[in-house]
Amino acid sequence: MLNTNIYQISYDLKKFKDYPQLYQAILKLGPNVRVLESLWLVANQGTALAIRNHLQTAVDGDDRLFVCKIVPVDAASLNLPQNVLNWLKTHAGWV
């Protein structure tokens, strides 16, 4: 799975906060892990634009989305849950 792109998805839901709809859209993208309240990592072969377009159908016009392909070569963390660390080891090659 290490040849898969890893994308960071961040969001701010404004007035109408339909989190379940957004979560379902994120889950459909592939292997994923929720790192922080509004930050997920997803393993996906698509592009940031394709992921944004997919997620755009699950949010309102005033919500904010940020999708970024990351390369976890130089990354650091503090107090991440074990499931997040396990996901990073499996999908991003962290040791």
Side-chain angles (χ1 to χ4, degrees), residues 4-82:
T4 300
N5 298 325
I6 305 296
Y7 288 93
Q8 171 186 315
I9 299 169
S10 303
Y11 51 85
D12 287 327
L13 302 187
K14 297 298 184 182
K15 294 175 190 157
F16 184 69
K17 297 175 170 52
D18 190 353
Y19 291 105
Q21 182 173 336
L22 177 58
Y23 297 164
Q24 287 303 312
I26 291 171
L27 295 174
K28 289 180 182 176
L29 290 169
N32 60 77
V33 66
R34 187 174 181 184
V35 180
L36 302 171
E37 286 296 318
S38 62
L39 180 107
W40 293 65
L41 296 178
V42 174
N44 186 285
Q45 286 297 328
T47 64
L49 181 61
I51 292 170
R52 191 278 320 259
N53 290 346
H54 170 76
L55 296 175
Q56 189 173 1
T57 65
V59 297
D60 297 323
D62 62 343
D63 294 333
R64 296 178 181 162
L65 283 173
F66 179 71
V67 179
C68 181
K69 181 177 171 184
I70 63 169
V71 182
V73 171
D74 184 20
S77 65
L78 177 67
N79 297 326
L80 291 182
Q82 190 61 47

